[in-house]
Amino acid sequence: MRKLKKLARVCWLALLLLLAVTGIAITGAAPTQAKNRRIIIDDEPSIEMVDKKKDEEEKP
């Protein structure tokens, strides 16, 4: 009976490990936080707005 319980525990552990590895393979590893958050946070705008010239606005 002890050998059966031990075998069941090992099989259960193997199944849980297999499920964990499969989940990581499907979704990818969880991202880690960078130590320097200023690299992640971009305060500057990524595009520049171009204003129309006054001459172009006055033409019909």
Side-chain angles (χ1 to χ4, degrees):
M1 190 68 175
R2 284 185 179 177
K3 288 184 180 183
L4 183 62
K5 285 184 180 181
K6 188 173 183 177
L7 179 65
R9 286 182 182 175
V10 170
C11 289
W12 184 248
L13 178 65
L15 179 66
L16 288 178
L17 288 174
L18 182 66
L19 287 173
V21 168
T22 305
I24 290 174
I26 290 173
T27 61
T32 58
Q33 286 288 344
K35 291 182 181 178
N36 189 357
R37 292 184 57 91
R38 294 193 131 211
I39 296 172
I40 298 172
I41 300 171
D42 187 15
D43 293 335
E44 298 177 12
S46 59
I47 61 170
E48 295 181 13
M49 297 291 292
V50 177
D51 293 332
K52 293 182 179 179
K53 294 181 180 178
K54 290 182 181 178
D55 295 339
E56 293 177 358
E57 291 178 357
E58 294 175 2
K59 292 182 181 178

